[in-house]
Amino acid sequence: MRRLALAASLAAAGCSAAWAQEKVLRIGMTAGDIPRTSGQPDQGYEGNRFTGIPLYDSLTQWDLSSETKASVVIPDLALSWAVDASDKTKWVFKLRPGVLFHDGSPFNADAVVWNVGKVLDKTAAQYDPAQIGVTASRMPTLRTARKIDDLTVELTTSEPDSFLPINLTNLFMASPVHWQKKLDAVAASVTDKAERSKQAWAAFAADPSGTGPFRQTRLVPRERLEIVKNPAYWDEKRRPRIDRVVLLPLPEASARTAALMSGQVDWIEAPAPDAVEAIKARGFKLYANLQPHLWPWQFSMLPDSPFKDLKVRQAANLCLNRTALKELLGGLMVEATGIAEPGDPWRGTPTFQIKYDAPAAQKLMQEAGYSAAKPAKVKVQTSASGSGQMQPLPMNEFIQQSLKACYFDVEFDVVEWNTLFSSWRLGAKDPTAHGAHATNVSAATMDPFFAMVRFVSTKAQPPVSNNWGFYSEPKMDELVDKARTTFDDKARDAALANLHAHIVDQAPFLFVAHDVGPRAISAKVKGVVQPKSWFIDLATLSMD
């Protein structure tokens, strides 16, 4: 039935007479379902890419206009921001005037306070537990929002946190007025406050209202999402020139590739590596660029995990032939020797050098008490697809064979991508981990919190953020605190370099690869800019 539904969806995408005069872009995503449309997307960063940034805006956003320069944070719905010099837990944001939500209501300080409340204020009518997991863990120190005037808002953090403006790229602004209408339409017979909110958010997701360059017109869960241009978008430079975008979940690389080659879609994320040459030969363009990204195994430090031993962690990193893995992927990866590579201001000078050295790995494993006769039995949780997951099954099978030479006996627990992503914040102790000793969730590394802090800070242990393996070490926490409380950019980079060097030395990951975000796109799609980012701007594209 799933295949029939998919075939029908693709056929509809290709032949709808209603689109005859429209410029329609059809995209095959790696996600197995349409990312949440209610304002805080799920499905990893593919959600932000396709239902966050197109439909909504945030106070700050990433500059996606260049394929050669680093993607940096720029003003979006906030024109400017500053930390209070006398109390660095308080920030003042000046808001952009004249912005309207899709329903015509104004964006203002009240809207900011309301949107902070939807994920942080359990007493608020709009509080939505479904949106917390993908939001609170990405901005863990934000606590309150207070209106100063219509275009000024004060945000308060639990501790001084220089990362806050970067974290706020993840808080998308939904219309309070539109949501209230959905709440008012909930049947009076529904009296439970939480249930009323849940039903209002479900109705909002089917008919959302943000301030973004596109607005939603049709949603069929697990099959398709259609969004159309917002001709009144506040930023004239990003008013879309494409009339309609159709998003289709195609989690299998072979299915995505077949859909592209047959003309059923114009664009696919992560094409099958063995089909890249055929795709190029058919006239499609392949776009790729190094992303701030890490494709790792994140190790458990629990008592039953072999990876609690530093020697075992370092051995795993020395036993992997990343050059051969890159060949397997048709060159579509960068070999990882840490989170930040040489030349990055956050690199530092690690003592432990990540490279391929199987004899050294075997020696470390023997010192840890393992051998060919007594291998380290480890379970790794992964997915078959997903945002930033590259080609997880063939990559993991390669790693499994590589590590076997160094006395690792690896088994996999393959779960659906959104399940894996959701359990990431629950941690290795949670039943959803199924006793895994490592989790394979690709990670965005564009800002200090995402790149490092959320994985190694004791304060980021579940359920707060993504320290899945419960790593905890006093020296690491000291280095985190130093970086987080340093507000001068150059001094903060130096503190982050020290933090990164210690992370590499302690090897809480199997550092495998950095993604280059390969996507294959029809030549009729013009103006494609593949930035050094997980994201890409659909609003600036055009079509023949």
Side-chain angles (χ1 to χ4, degrees):
M1 291 300 293
R2 166 71 175 143
R3 291 180 181 273
L4 290 174
L6 177 59
S9 180
L10 288 170
C15 65
S16 175
W19 297 346
Q21 303 303 315
E22 286 188 311
K23 294 187 182 298
V24 181
L25 174 63
R26 303 158 300 169
I27 299 177
M29 303 182 295
T30 67
D33 197 359
I34 300 299
R36 185 186 294 119
T37 57
S38 53
Q40 300 305 128
D42 58 358
Q43 300 290 340
Y45 266 160
E46 196 159 28
N48 285 33
R49 186 185 305 143
F50 290 130
T51 66
I53 295 171
L55 296 175
Y56 296 92
D57 291 303
S58 43
L59 294 179
T60 59
Q61 195 46 268
W62 297 101
D63 183 354
L64 305 176
S65 63
S66 174
E67 60 187 22
T68 57
K69 299 178 182 178
S71 183
V72 297
V73 169
I74 57 175
D76 198 23
L77 291 178
L79 289 172
S80 64
W81 52 89
V83 67
D84 189 317
S86 60
D87 182 354
K88 289 186 167 56
T89 66
K90 297 185 184 301
W91 294 77
V92 173
F93 286 75
K94 296 290 186 179
L95 306 181
R96 188 177 299 277
V99 176
L100 298 177
F101 287 102
H102 297 154
D103 62 289
S105 62
F107 167 76
N108 51 32
D110 290 322
V112 176
V113 174
W114 187 92
N115 275 277
V116 171
K118 76 184 178 186
V119 292
L120 293 182
D121 184 0
K122 294 182 179 180
T123 68
Q126 74 273 20
Y127 180 70
D128 185 13
Q131 298 189 54
I132 294 172
V134 295
T135 310
S137 63
R138 294 172 174 172
M139 47 180 208
T141 64
L142 181 62
R143 289 295 178 266
T144 62
R146 181 178 68 87
K147 174 182 176 180
I148 296 176
D149 58 44
D150 281 349
L151 294 177
T152 312
V153 65
E154 179 188 79
L155 302 184
T156 302
T157 57
S158 58
E159 60 187 273
D161 187 358
S162 64
F163 308 156
L164 180 69
I166 309 172
N167 298 161
L168 289 173
T169 59
N170 297 286
L171 183 62
F172 293 103
M173 297 293 150
S175 168
V177 172
H178 194 62
W179 183 87
Q180 186 63 45
K181 291 178 179 178
K182 302 302 182 186
L183 181 67
D184 293 343
V186 175
S189 58
V190 180
T191 58
D192 180 74
K193 178 182 176 181
E195 181 59 27
R196 289 185 65 82
S197 176
K198 181 179 179 180
Q199 291 190 23
W201 277 115
F204 186 95
D207 175 33
S209 177
T211 63
F214 291 90
R215 58 183 181 84
Q216 180 176 310
T217 57
R218 185 185 180 198
L219 169 63
V220 182
R222 302 196 73 84
E223 288 187 21
R224 67 194 296 111
L225 173 70
E226 296 179 21
I227 60 178
V228 298
K229 66 180 180 182
N230 173 15
Y233 185 56
W234 58 266
D235 186 350
E236 293 184 10
K237 299 188 298 298
R238 294 187 63 232
R239 284 181 184 166
R241 287 170 283 177
I242 292 176
D243 298 307
R244 183 182 301 266
V245 179
V246 181
L247 297 163
L248 304 169
L250 295 171
E252 297 176 2
S254 58
R256 289 194 299 277
T257 301
L260 182 73
M261 299 284 270
S262 65
Q264 293 172 321
V265 297
D266 310 296
W267 165 325
I268 61 172
E269 301 284 286
D274 58 2
V276 166
E277 293 307 315
I279 288 171
K280 291 179 179 177
R282 293 286 294 274
F284 297 100
K285 294 186 177 181
L286 185 72
Y287 294 85
N289 205 346
L290 176 61
Q291 298 183 156
H293 169 278
L294 179 67
W295 194 100
W297 286 1
Q298 186 177 355
F299 297 139
S300 167
M301 305 298 166
L302 299 184
D304 69 337
S305 173
F307 295 120
K308 69 181 183 296
D309 188 330
L310 175 60
K311 291 180 179 179
V312 175
R313 303 196 300 271
Q314 291 184 337
N317 276 285
L318 292 173
C319 199
L320 177 58
N321 187 340
R322 295 166 183 80
T323 302
L325 177 59
K326 183 174 182 177
E327 292 174 1
L328 175 69
L329 295 180
L332 296 177
M333 64 165 267
V334 171
E335 299 173 34
T337 64
I339 299 169
E341 295 302 321
D344 190 297
W346 300 347
R347 173 67 182 186
T349 53
T351 301
F352 176 58
Q353 299 301 307
I354 295 173
K355 57 186 177 180
Y356 179 45
D357 189 344
Q362 292 169 345
K363 183 174 184 294
L364 284 169
M365 289 295 284
Q366 290 167 350
E367 292 173 358
Y370 298 103
S371 64
K374 183 189 174 185
K377 295 182 179 293
V378 297
K379 180 192 287 188
V380 181
Q381 199 167 58
T382 187
S383 65
S385 65
S387 174
Q389 288 291 87
M390 301 176 69
Q391 306 294 334
L393 296 185
M395 290 173 73
N396 274 302
E397 288 168 359
F398 180 93
I399 297 169
Q400 181 185 47
Q401 290 303 310
S402 289
L403 297 193
K404 187 175 182 179
C406 301
Y407 320 135
F408 287 92
D409 181 1
V410 179
E411 68 168 303
F412 295 111
D413 177 33
V414 181
V415 298
E416 191 270 334
W417 164 235
N418 211 39
T419 300
L420 180 71
F421 189 82
S422 297
S423 68
W424 193 24
R425 191 171 66 94
L426 299 177
K429 295 178 183 178
D430 192 81
T432 59
H434 299 166
H437 305 112
T439 188
N440 170 218
V441 182
S442 56
T445 59
M446 69 272 276
D447 74 68
F449 176 73
F450 274 34
M452 294 179 269
V453 174
R454 61 175 169 161
F455 303 124
V456 296
S457 170
T458 302
K459 294 177 182 178
Q461 289 182 357
V464 174
S465 194
N466 301 117
N467 187 347
W468 178 89
F470 291 86
Y471 184 94
S472 182
E473 183 204 4
K475 181 178 178 180
M476 193 75 78
D477 288 339
E478 290 175 9
L479 292 169
V480 166
D481 289 344
K482 175 64 175 177
R484 193 167 223 160
T485 57
T486 301
F487 288 80
D488 175 78
D489 289 346
K490 289 186 178 180
R492 185 173 62 194
D493 281 349
L496 290 167
N498 291 333
L499 173 61
H500 179 262
H502 192 58
I503 289 174
V504 174
D505 288 345
Q506 291 298 306
F509 299 107
L510 173 61
F511 298 98
V512 180
H514 303 294
D515 196 4
V516 294
R519 44 180 58 101
I521 302 178
S522 168
K524 68 182 181 182
V525 182
K526 306 298 184 183
V528 178
V529 174
Q530 173 103 351
K532 293 183 175 182
S533 171
W534 277 62
F535 311 123
I536 190 167
D537 194 355
L538 302 182
T540 57
L541 303 175
S542 61
M543 295 184 72
D544 289 340

